[in-house]
Amino acid sequence: MRATAERNGIAEGRLARLARPLRESLSRRLLVLTLLFVMLAEVLIFVPSIANFRLTWLEQRLAAAQIASLALEARPDNMVSPALREELLKNAQVYAVALHRDDARRLVLSEDMPPMVDTSFDLRDAMAVFQIMDAFETLFASDGRVVLVTGNPRFAAGESIEIVFDETPLRHAMLRYGKNIFLLSLVISIITASLVFTALHFVLVRPMRRITENMVAFRDDPEDARRVIAPSGRADEIGIAERELSLMQKEIRATLSQKAHLASLGAAVSKISHDLRNILASAQLISDRIGAIDDPTVQHLAPRLFAAIGRAIDLCADTLKFGRAEEAPPRRRRFALASFVDEVVEAAWPDNERLVWNNDVEPDLEVEADPDQLFRILLNLARNAAQALAESETGGEIRIAARRDGGHVHLDIADTGPGLPEKARAHLFEPFTGGVRTGGAGLGLAIVNELVRAHGGHIELVASGSSGTHFRICIPDTGSALTACDAAESIATTKTTAQGK
């Protein structure tokens, strides 16, 4: 039933295309334009050809009149009988013939009462433009017009020859010629338009229709993998469009799938965070009692435990807010960075003997940032580095350094691990695609990037290879110019692109 419905839908779509007006149909518009252009080309050919037809006709009449005048040359007295004169004029289809020779103009043949001349044309050294104008004047003249035509006699038989004749036969001959040319042009136009239309239909229109229909079908259900266009393998612009469209559709499907996974994950995380917040609240109550124990070790570790549980509770609350809106804006304050880094190290991976932590932050260096969000930023980066080194046999070193540059603080987190995999470098800050280790979701760096940008800063991958990985973070002070971070972002974009490739 579904297949039948789909076939019916396809048939209805084809009928709808046939019923579309001219302005909405590329095929019909192409056919009409082809006809018009071919007819236009034929018109451009017709104009000089009709002028040439008239010129040839007139030259033939001049030649016939010259031949008729030769009968007089054979007579000693240059006289012929009236009957012979009428026959000669009738065969030449003229009323009178005059020959200009030896600087004298002589009327060779003429009727007894020749008609009055209405207009005259000179064919000697006439320009093509004037020949065309004269031809159209003849076409639009009325029947019965008498004209005088002057031309050059053949074989240099004189300076010029003039004939007087009725232009009606010439006009009728030109009309017949024009009609034949029009019909021939129409046939040629139809044949040419059909061939051009057929060729362009299969080469251009049909593939474009396939692309547009696929785009419409994909828009209706972009999650259906069957609606992704299959490139035809053509090497021209149509093939490029098909391949790019296919790639774009695949990326859109991947993005939609990722968004769906994110939505499902967000709903699951919101539920887990809600219950985890209640559990952490109970743990906080217990930690308060532990803090009351009069033991030096407990008193030393209790503040860190309280801070960790407090951050966990705040993170659960922020996660619940994130499901409804976005990450909370940073609540900035100025604080010392060196001791803050020590807390990050303690929370990241403090008890692995194969890891060496170096806190190279100056004791008096202060940063203006949200402590909780900066803690999450450094904790994600430090934990990623620690996990990469923990998986190696020899361990390694993790170094955290910072320096102030005007109104900005630059933090460097570097390790001596094996470097990031190629997939992670290509999709460094994209969730679910930029995971740096097997089984990772790729959310850590995406969260870091979002939190750093919320501070108006930027994070960049400085280097990643067999000698280790180096991240740099730029955190500007409130109200400071973003010049330094902008420069870092430009450099990072170039480096990340090169590393991704």
Side-chain angles (χ1 to χ4, degrees), residues 111-129:
E111 292 183 350
D112 294 333
M113 293 295 294
M116 296 294 295
V117 175
D118 296 318
T119 186
S120 62
F121 300 102
D122 192 345
L123 304 183
R124 297 171 297 176
D125 301 326
M127 298 179 63
V129 176

Side-chain angles (χ1 to χ4, degrees), residues 89-103:
L89 292 174
K90 183 176 181 181
N91 288 331
Q93 298 182 8
V94 295
Y95 294 131
V97 180
L99 185 63
H100 188 214
R101 180 187 296 176
D102 299 330
D103 296 330

Side-chain angles (χ1 to χ4, degrees), residues 75-348:
R75 306 286 296 181
D77 55 356
N78 291 333
M79 296 294 292
V80 294
S81 65
L84 180 58
R85 182 187 61 188
E86 289 295 331
E87 186 176 355
L88 290 174
L89 292 174
K90 183 176 181 181
N91 288 331
Q93 298 182 8
V94 295
Y95 294 131
V97 180
L99 185 63
H100 188 214
R101 180 187 296 176
D102 299 330
D103 296 330
R105 180 176 178 275
R106 185 163 58 90
L107 185 62
V108 180
L109 288 173
S110 176
E111 292 183 350
D112 294 333
M113 293 295 294
M116 296 294 295
V117 175
D118 296 318
T119 186
S120 62
F121 300 102
D122 192 345
L123 304 183
R124 297 171 297 176
D125 301 326
M127 298 179 63
V129 176
F130 296 111
Q131 293 284 1
I132 293 174
M133 295 173 59
D134 292 342
F136 279 95
E137 181 182 346
T138 300
L139 279 175
F140 294 105
S142 57
D143 290 344
R145 190 171 73 157
V146 178
V147 297
L148 169 65
V149 175
T150 304
N152 293 315
R154 302 177 66 185
F155 311 116
E159 286 79 16
S160 66
I161 184 172
E162 299 176 350
I163 58 175
V164 178
F165 65 96
D166 186 354
E167 195 182 36
T168 303
L170 172 59
R171 180 172 176 274
H172 289 175
M174 291 176 64
L175 290 174
R176 287 193 301 271
Y177 177 81
K179 179 181 178 182
N180 294 334
I181 287 292
F182 173 77
L183 294 177
L184 180 61
S185 301
L186 185 61
V187 172
I188 294 175
S189 299
I190 294 174
I191 295 175
T192 306
S194 301
L195 294 176
V196 173
F197 170 76
T198 303
L200 292 181
H201 176 77
F202 287 99
V203 174
L204 182 62
V205 176
R206 190 174 179 181
M208 286 300 299
R209 181 180 296 167
R210 174 173 174 261
I211 291 175
T212 54
E213 289 177 351
N214 177 267
M215 293 171 66
V216 173
F218 184 81
R219 181 198 62 186
D220 294 336
D221 188 6
E223 296 182 359
D224 189 352
R226 297 173 301 175
R227 304 198 177 192
V228 175
I229 190 171
S232 60
R234 294 173 55 165
D236 55 9
E237 288 78 2
I238 296 293
I240 295 174
E242 290 175 342
R243 289 190 292 274
E244 293 300 323
L245 178 60
S246 177
L247 180 60
M248 182 187 67
Q249 290 174 337
K250 290 177 181 177
E251 291 178 352
I252 291 175
R253 288 193 66 255
T255 302
L256 291 175
S257 177
Q258 177 181 328
K259 296 296 183 183
H261 292 165
L262 282 173
S264 300
L265 178 63
V269 169
S270 297
K271 296 176 183 178
I272 295 172
S273 298
H274 181 272
D275 295 337
L276 182 60
R277 185 178 60 176
N278 296 332
I279 297 172
L280 290 174
S282 300
Q284 190 176 36
L285 294 175
I286 297 173
S287 65
D288 290 339
R289 295 185 179 182
I290 293 176
I293 298 176
D294 190 13
D295 183 273
T297 303
V298 173
Q299 293 298 322
H300 175 70
L301 297 177
R304 297 182 180 180
L305 177 63
F306 298 158
I309 294 177
R311 288 193 183 96
I313 293 175
D314 292 340
L315 179 59
C316 291
D318 292 340
T319 302
L320 291 174
K321 293 178 183 178
F322 183 79
R324 295 188 298 269
E326 57 183 6
E327 196 76 42
R331 296 182 290 271
R332 291 173 173 247
R333 65 180 178 86
R334 187 175 289 271
F335 56 90
L337 189 58
S339 58
F340 186 80
V341 170
D342 288 334
E343 295 181 21
V344 173
V345 171
E346 288 289 334

Side-chain angles (χ1 to χ4, degrees), residues 424-445:
R425 293 197 303 269
H427 307 277
L428 197 57
F429 302 114
E430 300 177 16
F432 297 107
T433 56
V436 299
R437 66 182 189 281
T438 304
L443 287 172
L445 290 178

